[in-house]
Amino acid sequence: MKVLVPVKRVVDFNVKVRVKSDQSDVDIANVKMSMNPFDEIAVEEAMRLKEAGVVTEVVAVSCGVAQCQETLRTAMAIGADRSALVQTDQDLQPLAVAKLLKAVVDKEQPQLIILGKQAIDDDANQTGQMLASLLGWPQATFASKVDVADDSVQVTREVDGGLETVALKLPAVITTDLRLNEPRYVTLPNIMKAKKKPMDTFSPEDLGVDVTPRLKTLKVTEPAERSAGEVVPDVATLVDKLKNEAKVV
């Protein structure tokens, strides 16, 4: 079984981003970039399936600027066998990414696609669902457990009332949640080995995909500053303030 794992290059989760002075976007110049944490979980899950003997090949794919090669090298250091980069300087929106991934899927013919449920930069939570729709494949989102057997996969996902388990026929699309696994530490020897693993490069034009943005960002602003809290002497005062000042009771 071949597994395709899309990965995205995003601002590192430890970095506090700042809004540009013209409020057109966030400023990512000279900030640390890394693999989207949910996608890192997806790569780890693919590797665990391979180590269990269920999967024979793991292919990582990324869409974006040339620097996405670093993200793909990280995926291969975790254990992916090879990778593919759809290189473009265009600002990619979820639908464009889904169309690019569909074109790669048509080339690679994987039986399973595992990707993060969302990227931490735009928090769109759309690409996996759009990809499944374009392919006409079944999908399971927010996976917290994945079991593959023969030509089907069982996915456990967290819902408001507890846990829900769904069964899908392969090929299928799965998006990962935080509690699915804990990604392994990438060792220096594996980083060196990743440099020798093959990486194919395509352009959107090679795949016949139009990536022209369909949405326009009108304005980006910082979150409003929260006012400081207030310590009250007793419950009666708290109730009084909630009733007469906050007017929530």
Side-chain angles (χ1 to χ4, degrees):
M1 179 190 296
K2 181 190 295 187
V3 175
L4 189 75
V5 186
V7 295
K8 185 177 183 181
R9 178 177 181 262
V10 299
V11 176
D12 189 87
F13 69 93
N14 287 311
V15 174
K16 178 176 174 54
V17 294
R18 299 185 181 277
V19 175
K20 291 181 178 179
S21 58
D22 61 0
Q23 296 186 324
S24 62
D25 206 342
V26 294
D27 188 1
I28 61 172
N30 302 315
V31 301
K32 182 182 178 183
M33 307 293 284
S34 60
M35 185 189 301
N36 179 47
F38 291 103
D39 296 337
E40 193 173 4
I41 291 170
V43 178
E44 174 66 26
E45 189 64 20
M47 292 313 305
R48 293 188 184 194
L49 291 173
K50 184 178 179 182
E51 291 165 354
V54 177
V55 169
T56 54
E57 185 179 26
V58 177
V59 182
V61 59
S62 189
C63 305
V65 295
Q67 289 87 340
C68 290
Q69 293 182 26
E70 302 167 7
T71 307
L72 290 171
R73 293 295 178 194
T74 300
M76 290 190 288
I78 295 173
D81 299 288
R82 55 189 179 86
S83 64
L85 170 63
V86 183
Q87 186 173 327
T88 177
D89 292 328
Q90 181 65 267
D91 181 29
L92 295 176
Q93 295 175 350
L95 181 58
V97 175
K99 289 181 176 180
L100 291 172
L101 292 176
K102 180 185 181 298
V104 174
V105 170
D106 291 340
K107 281 178 172 289
E108 294 288 344
Q109 296 294 308
Q111 288 72 51
L112 184 62
I113 302 171
I114 308 177
L115 68 161
K117 69 173 184 178
Q118 65 194 74
I120 62 171
D121 51 3
D122 59 17
D123 275 337
N125 183 19
Q126 295 175 338
T127 303
Q129 293 89 326
M130 289 177 169
L131 176 59
S133 179
L134 291 171
L135 290 168
W137 289 9
Q139 61 175 302
T141 57
F142 301 2
S144 59
K145 184 179 180 182
V146 175
D147 292 309
V148 179
D150 299 325
D151 62 343
S152 65
V153 55
Q154 282 197 348
V155 176
T156 301
R157 52 197 305 273
E158 295 182 9
V159 295
D160 289 343
L163 298 177
E164 176 185 66
T165 301
V166 296
L168 313 175
K169 285 287 186 181
L170 297 176
V173 176
I174 297 173
T175 70
T176 63
D177 207 347
L178 280 176
R179 280 164 288 280
L180 179 58
N181 61 51
E182 184 175 343
R184 68 193 66 189
Y185 178 77
V186 179
T187 63
L188 181 59
N190 286 335
I191 293 174
M192 300 306 294
K193 290 177 183 177
K195 295 181 179 181
K196 299 180 180 179
K197 293 182 178 180
M199 180 187 300
D200 297 324
T201 303
F202 308 99
S203 68
E205 292 74 23
D206 294 336
L207 301 175
V209 177
D210 179 13
V211 296
T212 304
R214 293 167 174 255
L215 306 175
K216 180 181 179 181
T217 301
L218 300 179
K219 187 178 182 181
V220 179
T221 59
E222 296 274 4
E225 289 189 13
R226 297 177 62 180
S227 57
E230 181 181 350
V231 178
V232 294
D234 51 47
V235 174
T237 307
L238 173 61
V239 172
D240 178 67
K241 287 183 175 292
L242 290 175
K243 183 177 180 180
N244 299 311
E245 294 184 20
K247 298 186 185 301
V248 295
V249 296

